[in-house]
Amino acid sequence: MNNLIILPILIPFIVGTFLILFAKNHSLQRVISGFTAIAMLLVSIYLAIHVYQEGIGVLELGNWQAPFGIVLVADMFATMMVILSSIVGVVCLFFAFQTISSEREKFYFYPFYFFLLAGVNGAFLTGDLFNLFVFFEVMLISSYILIVLGGTKYQLRESLKYVIINVFASILFLVGVAYIYSITGTLNMADLAVKVGQLEQTGVLNVIAVIFLLVFAMKGGLFPLYFWLPRSYYGPPAAIAALFGGLLTKVGIYAIMRTFTLIFTHDPGFTHTLILILAGLTMFFGVLGAVSQFDFKRILSYHIISQVGYMVMGLGIYTQLAIAGAIYYIAHHIIVKAALFLFAGATQKITGTTDLKKMGGLLKTHPWLAWMFFISAISLAGIPPLSGFFSKFALILAAFLEENYIIAAVALAVGLLTLFSMMKIFIYAFWGEQKHTEEQANYKVGKLLLPIVPLVALTIILGFAAEPIFQYSLQVAEQILDPTIYIESVLKE
């Protein structure tokens, strides 16, 4: 049964390779891609159910026992993330069917789409630090291709920054890997957790911890290393922007949460306090960027930054309630952020622009689009009874219980500014006087909205079914806050 663990990596990799052979047959590529994305979702759900019922699954590749061989590890946190990546992968793919031009399709859009998902799922499931680097690179190389498809001047200029910052982060990642291997003699995460505990996390190990924090902060969009993100995510088509906005930064956040709940757990007074400070600064400066913008996609891009601050806020507080709130928030944000970027793509398809000052009156001509966007917008802002409220409530409650009043105040203020900026989009784009032509007003968006409906439904379900979902988040938090469970599963101690 443990062989199932490799399927979320193997399926997209094999299919992506196979699709290269049919690069000019767009119809066949769409059919194969659609069935593959649905199959990945079903496999990921089955894997999560199996892990929930039977416990952590470990696959030793080549039958080399850990820590000497490469292992894949499926715990509740990893399988939850794989499900979320599969959901976003399906939705963005079907939206791309409606919006991606044939010019972009012919440049291997679908193969690199699946290579990216293979890298993302590999990063979630790997139990080895070097292979985390490898899967990061698979994901990033694919993203380099997808972010420049179309070859507009703006895309090429901004993607250059994206490539440079990620290449630098990758070099720094290798430096961190080399340092920790030279000290511990291992790169298996479970074995690293044991060795770092034996050596006591002081001095040079804290320096290594900061190196990894910087690497994952660059990839996750944390302060002050987020400058590349807003403009880079503005250029690609909506389906790619939604995939990136929903998933890519979360891989960096996942890596931070994994390493700082498993390996670097012995000096939280230093490491987790630093993470909490970064969380507050990320939330604050990210939302200021969103408030200052008057472009639909730019506002959403800046909100990625402010919202990842909430996720690492839970890690910085470092209690079960806070970690559970962060996990709940990750699920909420992946779903809602992907939906909002797709709404931006739908409105751009109608009006031909993302400039809010040139938009207006979409509520009258496209009411379903308007109200579905409104639900997603207030969910992002944290208005009850939607998913954003309950995830933020848990984080802020945890902050108050630990007497971290400053971070709680920042989180509340950022929530209000998020609501302000999202209502700015609604008022300018959907409310007020109609600024688009009658021909644009008659544009049918049913096929564009269809892939987004599941995401809107999920944010409603995550809100109304908050109790069982939060109980699941608490179980995930309990599992990752007890490193011995992970260590014993992998090393079979």
Side-chain angles (χ1 to χ4, degrees), residues 225-246:
L225 305 168
Y226 60 74
F227 59 88
W228 57 270
L229 190 153
R231 297 178 70 87
S232 297
Y233 284 16
Y234 175 80
I240 300 304
L243 185 70
F244 286 14

Side-chain angles (χ1 to χ4, degrees), residues 203-225:
V204 69
L205 283 171
N206 269 338
V207 173
I208 295 170
V210 171
I211 289 174
F212 282 113
L213 180 58
L214 286 173
V215 169
F216 301 141
M218 287 185 206
K219 297 180 184 294
L222 292 179
F223 177 89
L225 305 168

Side-chain angles (χ1 to χ4, degrees), residues 19 22-33 97 100-110:
L19 287 174
F22 302 97
K24 294 182 180 180
N25 192 334
H26 299 165
S27 298
L28 181 60
Q29 284 197 99
R30 291 184 178 192
V31 171
I32 295 172
S33 298
F97 290 162
I100 291 292
S101 67
S102 59
E103 285 297 310
R104 286 187 166 98
E105 282 183 312
K106 73 180 182 182
F107 288 112
Y108 305 98
F109 169 77
Y110 297 109

Side-chain angles (χ1 to χ4, degrees), residues 131-140 173 216 219 251-252 255:
N131 281 282
L132 178 62
F133 167 79
V134 171
F135 284 120
F136 261 107
E137 292 309 298
V138 172
M139 175 188 76
L140 288 170
F173 197 163
F216 301 141
K219 297 180 184 294
V251 180

